[in-house]
Amino acid sequence: MSELYDVIIAGSGSAGMTAAVRATKQGLKVLVVEKAHKIGGTSATSGGVTWIPNHGLGTDDSSAQAIEYINAVANGPVRSDRIDAFLETGPQMIAFLREIGMEPVVMPWPDYYPEAPGARADRSVVFPKYDGRRLGELFPLVREQFTRFKLMNRYTLDFMEANTISTRSPGWIREVLKVMGRYWLDFSTRRLDRRDRAFSLGAALIGPLVERYSAMGGEFLIGWGVKKLVVEGEKVTGVEIERFGKRRTVRSRHGVIVCAGGFEWNQELRNRFFTIPGDTRFSSTPEEANRGEMLEAGMALGAATEFTETGWWVPTMSLPLTTASNFEEIHQAVFDVGRPHSVCVNRNADRFVDEACGYDRFGNGMLEDQLKTGANTPCWLIFDATFRYKFTAGGIMPTALMPDSKIPASWWDQYIFRAPTVRELAQKIDLDPAKLEATVARMNGYAKTGVDPEFGRGGNAYDRNFGDPKLKPNPCLGSIDKAPYYAMPVNLGDLGTKGGLKCDAQARVLDGNDRPIPGLYAAGNASGSPFGNAYPGAGGTIGPAMVFGFIAADMIAQEAKGELGKFTHNSG
């Protein structure tokens, strides 16, 4: 490999790979440095959804409507300059992906605040299943989905398959057999690896980006972590990297783009920045991956930070690994907490949120209730046998796939609790029995009327999208009245951090006086979110990450061509 590149990119998630493909396509010599032993970062393990308003894929959305919506849902300060750049460049980034042969598909998912002015149900796009064997030798080096996104810890699922199976919709058994048959009939891959060759969700986004970057001659350094930003004069001109204790310096002619994720796995930084620090072990991102090294490296150069007080929240549950009980795995409870025949309560046995709302909104509800009562984080998911039969609860599959008899004995009364009555369940988990009985009784009343006067559960399109359509009058409200009764603790987990290096609309990292640090750019969770503490819709993390990676690559390409003064977001 060379020791001099046009641009060095730290991190290989959606921000880094978008920047890498865009820069390479424009003729630059690019190096992607990834400290992990796998390519893809947090993005590869995510749902892979990308939130791009006015994306140009056959809808009548507009930037004006998107701005109206974002301003309506802003939960504190936002960066209007970066929002404008995001909205202007997002459609161009999508057009570029189509130009290089990727196929974004619009999903009919409501924005996370569907009641707000300007909300829509067509701003989230996903990418179809991708054949991982197209990557050749890189196939086993792309980060694999967490088992929580797989059927029986093995079989790849896309969104439609997962929804059909998890909700036991008509044809779900046939769907299970199709998924399993696809895997076992793939004899060539079974001889190579246990992994399913079908990449879905986040891997279906990362896979084709890696393929195109590699085909154009882009280079990877895998397993090398950036320890220091190299500066000559006032300009960042390279990185000092380390692997297995050996250090080396790699230089860049035109810039370094920091796309190395946030700091959710650094307890010291969480304690320093977060309103409620929480514990690193409740994060649902790849373990020990995002430790904020590049945030600290930027701050060491005088870089400013913003929005570091909060994360992209998601309720999570912990369960032991089935193959190694001494180790725990984090399971997202994105939709589980809002399914009918259940209720979420704090440790005072009080409800605190519309349980079916968006996961970041749910997490903010946990945080606000903790600040108010001191009796949240964790809270409790309470459900009955009907819920247990129909739905997942973290890593606990519905009874058809995982009956109570298949739940390991060591999990009972440690990770999942069961009792013949609500009162006895409350006693097991140290809640006030009378208060929990009263809360459940109220929920049963709401299930009959279809109206939740406390929090409006099921009163908007987002809530109803993940309810049980067979339930009337409200698909999100089902009676909690069939024994046995169950409880599982729910932690304030995250999908990463919302804050990081402060950047301008051109993705340039700013110092304490809001001046760009020459040669230093950032995108994704390594930088502050343009939305501040808001999470506008599905893909609200990945959308801006890819767009600002795209912008950073364009900025560097213009500098390389000596045309920086002529830069516009419309560069082709």
Side-chain angles (χ1 to χ4, degrees), residues 58-249:
T59 70
D60 61 354
D61 195 10
S62 68
S63 293
Q65 190 175 1
I67 289 174
E68 178 187 29
Y69 171 70
I70 292 169
N71 288 337
V73 304
N75 184 18
V78 296
R79 287 287 305 280
S80 59
D81 59 334
R82 281 168 57 79
I83 290 172
D84 289 344
F86 165 68
L87 294 175
E88 180 182 348
T89 312
Q92 299 166 37
M93 189 272 294
I94 291 291
F96 173 70
L97 296 181
R98 298 182 72 189
E99 175 190 327
I100 62 173
M102 294 179 64
E103 302 172 10
V105 177
V106 180
M107 297 298 286
W109 291 332
D111 288 334
Y112 286 171
Y113 295 80
E115 73 280 9
R120 294 180 64 96
D122 56 9
R123 289 172 172 151
S124 297
V125 302
V126 300
F127 295 85
K129 279 200 192 83
Y130 171 79
D131 185 350
R133 292 290 294 273
R134 291 174 60 95
L135 294 171
E137 294 181 353
L138 291 175
F139 165 60
L141 295 179
V142 173
R143 190 185 288 277
E144 192 168 359
Q145 290 287 153
F146 289 120
T147 56
R148 62 174 172 258
F149 287 123
K150 295 188 173 188
L151 175 65
M152 301 177 187
N153 300 326
R154 182 187 293 263
Y155 308 107
T156 295
L157 298 173
D158 62 21
F159 283 107
M160 298 304 295
E161 291 164 343
N163 186 65
T164 298
I165 295 170
S166 65
T167 60
R168 298 169 60 87
S169 298
W172 73 273
I173 294 177
R174 182 170 61 253
E175 202 72 28
V176 169
L177 296 175
K178 183 189 77 174
V179 169
M180 294 176 64
R182 181 184 65 215
Y183 178 90
W184 288 111
L185 292 174
D186 183 9
F187 301 114
S188 62
T189 307
R190 296 291 68 74
R191 287 192 292 268
L192 174 70
D193 200 283
R194 181 182 186 272
R195 183 176 186 176
D196 195 328
R197 77 189 296 173
F199 286 12
S200 69
L201 311 182
L205 165 62
I206 294 298
L209 289 173
V210 171
E211 178 188 352
R212 284 149 181 81
Y213 174 67
S214 178
M216 290 187 290
E219 296 182 38
F220 288 102
L221 267 185
I222 304 173
W224 289 83
V226 176
K227 295 300 180 182
K228 182 180 178 182
L229 293 165
V230 176
V231 179
E232 294 181 4
E234 295 184 347
K235 183 176 182 179
V236 174
T237 59
V239 292
E240 186 175 304
I241 58 178
E242 181 182 76
R243 185 186 191 213
F244 301 135
K246 180 179 179 180
R247 292 203 176 196
R248 63 195 289 188
T249 297

Side-chain angles (χ1 to χ4, degrees), residues 244-300:
F244 301 135
K246 180 179 179 180
R247 292 203 176 196
R248 63 195 289 188
T249 297
V250 187
R251 298 188 180 276
S252 63
R253 296 183 182 90
H254 303 293
V256 172
I257 309 176
V258 178
C259 303
F263 59 86
E264 65 271 15
W265 282 96
N266 187 319
Q267 191 65 53
E268 182 180 345
L269 291 179
R270 292 178 75 107
N271 294 343
R272 175 178 174 182
F273 288 123
F274 271 14
T275 303
I276 292 180
D279 197 303
T280 56
R281 66 194 175 98
F282 298 140
S283 177
S284 68
T285 65
E287 188 171 359
E288 294 294 336
N290 299 323
R291 294 187 53 82
E293 295 99 335
M294 295 303 298
L295 174 63
E296 293 175 315
M299 290 191 298

Side-chain angles (χ1 to χ4, degrees), residues 344-346 350-354 362 365-366 369 376 379 455:
C344 285
V345 297
N346 64 16
D350 293 322
R351 292 178 72 205
F352 57 92
V353 75
D354 166 12
F362 186 100
M366 291 182 69
D369 187 63
N376 212 307
C379 62
F455 296 99

